[in-house]
Amino acid sequence: AVDESELLTVPDGWKEPAFTREDNPKGLLEESSFATLFPKYREAYLKECWPLVQKALGEHYVNAALDLIEGSMTVTTTKKTFDPYAIIRARDLIKLLARSVPFEQAVRILQDDVACDIIKIGSLVRKRETFIKRRARLLGPKGSTLKALELLTNCYIMVQGNTVSALGPFSGLKEVRKVVLDTMKNIHPIYNIKTLMIKRELAKDPELRTQSWERFLPKFKRKNLKKRKEPKKKNTKKEYTPFPPPQPESQIDKELASGEYFLKERQKKRKRMEEIKAKQADAVKRRQEERNKAFIPPKEKPVVKTKKASTEKKIDIEAIKEKVKNAKKKKLGALPDEEVKLKMAADEKKKKKK
């Protein structure tokens, strides 16, 4: 008895054996062909590398034709073609060449463990300016973001026009598609790159391979910093009632309620005139009040009396005189009597010597 878990596991480094002539000795019954158009600016490059394309496809017994007048490339199977999937790989090769992928990279599609994916991003964003910004975000400064994505997924990525061409293993292509679509949905690629880096480190540990990685992976939440502007006029919905709203009263109904309906025309006219005169009187009164405001004097501020300096404290006149005398001496630079006498004696000696 063999354990089922052992049957389901694939050993490390296992590869499917290559498809050879022995697997299909009689070849194909029908001829298949695929054609694709290429832009004018790719004409010179394709003309130069076309012999190499024919040589690479010739190994798989697939013919390739380049039509420069129509601007198309065609691949067809022959009687010697034994691999039925070779024509699909040849179709992908000419598609990649048309999307500006260099021949050195595009020829890898003919290998068994390499696939390609052409992601259309042109219709994912409405505004052209927004599309250009998000596409530049995928490339990163000096192509650093794209290079990091290539290293993590082991894929070659080419951003050209409205498409992104990716070439590499199936697991890597799945990650590339997710990152590209998220970038076009305004999710920065650095978040997905961080997740891929963590997954790469976790895959190295043999114990964690069979476990769930949810606890290790970062969870990025969207932060809407800008709040939605609330409208000035808010329309509040009324409670739904199955009955229709009451009919508004007409002018006759209002007159009947007030008793005005039964008055004569002369009385009605007099009443209307009285109402008009009352309104006019109110307007005149308000206008007169506005005019009289200019003649109302403003309120004067109360005068604050200054307090007189208190002369209760006694002043020591003798002490002040002493201070003034000392200050005068200092200002004039007067010397004491002894110093003056010594100075005079010194001056007389100098005169005698002369």
Side-chain angles (χ1 to χ4, degrees):
V2 182
D3 190 13
E4 288 183 5
S5 62
E6 290 180 7
L7 293 170
L8 295 171
T9 54
V10 179
D12 291 337
W14 182 84
K15 282 186 179 182
E16 197 173 339
F19 195 86
T20 58
R21 170 72 74 179
E22 293 171 4
D23 296 319
N24 187 16
K26 293 181 180 180
L28 305 175
L29 295 172
E30 295 290 333
E31 281 190 2
S32 303
S33 66
F34 288 101
T36 185
L37 298 170
F38 60 86
K40 185 76 176 171
Y41 61 84
R42 290 290 290 167
E43 189 179 313
Y45 180 79
L46 290 171
K47 195 176 178 181
E48 188 182 339
C49 73
W50 196 249
L52 297 170
V53 175
Q54 286 178 324
K55 187 182 176 182
L57 292 173
E59 292 174 6
H60 296 270
Y61 303 102
V62 177
N63 287 337
L66 178 68
D67 193 345
L68 296 172
I69 296 164
E70 288 184 4
S72 66
M73 292 180 281
T74 312
V75 286
T76 52
T77 56
T78 60
K79 290 179 181 179
K80 290 183 180 181
T81 309
F82 61 89
D83 188 358
Y85 202 71
I87 189 67
I88 304 296
R89 288 189 183 133
R91 178 201 66 184
D92 292 339
L93 173 64
I94 58 173
K95 273 188 178 181
L96 290 168
L97 288 169
R99 295 310 312 152
S100 297
V101 177
F103 171 75
E104 291 78 11
Q105 292 292 339
V107 78
R108 286 171 54 212
I109 196 68
L110 299 174
Q111 297 172 15
D112 287 338
D113 57 342
V114 178
C116 75
D117 190 9
I118 296 170
I119 307 155
K120 292 179 181 178
I121 57 172
S123 58
L124 296 175
V125 185
R126 285 185 182 180
K127 290 184 179 179
R128 187 70 184 165
E129 293 81 10
T130 313
F131 169 73
I132 291 162
K133 281 180 183 177
R134 289 181 189 176
R135 187 178 63 182
R137 192 182 292 169
L138 184 65
L139 292 166
K142 297 180 182 177
S144 57
T145 307
L146 198 68
K147 190 68 182 173
L149 198 61
E150 284 181 350
L151 292 168
L152 290 166
T153 56
N154 296 322
C155 294
Y156 173 80
I157 305 162
M158 181 75 185
V159 181
Q160 175 73 15
N162 295 332
T163 58
V164 177
S165 307
L167 188 79
F170 291 98
S171 58
L173 291 175
K174 189 180 175 183
E175 296 292 345
V176 169
R177 179 170 273 274
K178 184 180 178 297
V179 173
V180 170
L181 294 177
D182 282 354
T183 306
M184 289 294 128
K185 289 174 187 173
N186 203 19
I187 298 166
H188 204 281
I190 196 69
Y191 298 127
N192 287 310
I193 286 168
K194 279 184 180 179
T195 308
L196 287 169
M197 286 170 75
I198 293 162
K199 281 182 180 178
R200 193 178 187 180
E201 292 299 318
L202 291 168
K204 291 176 184 177
D205 195 343
E207 292 180 4
L208 293 168
R209 277 188 180 181
T210 55
Q211 295 178 17
S212 177
W213 293 348
E214 286 293 322
R215 57 203 169 113
F216 300 109
L217 300 176
K219 291 175 183 178
F220 301 105
K221 291 181 181 179
R222 280 191 172 187
K223 292 180 181 179
N224 294 330
L225 299 174
K226 289 184 179 179
K227 291 183 179 179
R228 184 177 167 273
K229 289 182 179 178
E230 293 183 359
K232 289 180 180 179
K233 292 180 181 179
K234 290 184 179 180
N235 298 326
T236 52
K237 287 186 177 180
K238 295 175 183 178
E239 290 183 8
Y240 173 74
T241 51
F243 307 105
Q247 194 173 358
E249 288 185 348
S250 65
Q251 191 66 27
I252 296 165
D253 292 336
K254 289 175 182 177
E255 287 178 0
L256 284 166
S258 62
E260 195 180 337
Y261 183 79
F262 303 103
L263 296 172
K264 290 178 183 179
E265 193 64 35
R266 240 182 344 184
Q267 290 172 329
K268 285 181 183 178
K269 196 174 182 181
R270 195 188 301 151
K271 193 177 180 181
R272 279 198 295 272
M273 288 301 292
E274 284 174 2
E275 286 175 359
I276 291 164
K277 282 179 180 177
K279 282 181 181 178
Q280 285 176 350
D282 287 340
V284 168
K285 191 180 179 181
R286 269 189 269 107
R287 211 178 297 124
Q288 197 65 37
E289 284 175 0
E290 287 291 327
R291 285 175 182 172
N292 291 339
K293 276 182 184 178
F295 300 104
I296 296 166
K299 289 181 180 180
E300 292 181 0
K301 291 180 181 179
V303 180
V304 181
K305 292 180 180 179
T306 53
K307 292 180 180 180
K308 290 180 181 179
S310 59
T311 53
E312 292 177 1
K313 291 181 181 179
K314 291 179 180 180
I315 299 163
D316 193 357
I317 296 163
E318 293 297 327
I320 291 165
K321 281 181 179 179
E322 192 67 31
K323 281 182 183 178
V324 171
K325 196 176 182 182
N326 292 334
K328 278 182 179 179
K329 281 181 181 178
K330 284 178 184 177
K331 283 179 185 178
L332 297 168
L335 296 169
D337 295 337
E338 292 176 359
E339 288 183 15
V340 171
K341 286 177 183 178
L342 290 168
K343 201 172 183 183
M344 286 173 74
D347 290 338
E348 284 176 1
K349 281 181 183 179
K350 282 179 183 179
K351 283 177 184 179
K352 285 176 182 179
K353 282 180 182 179
K354 287 178 181 180

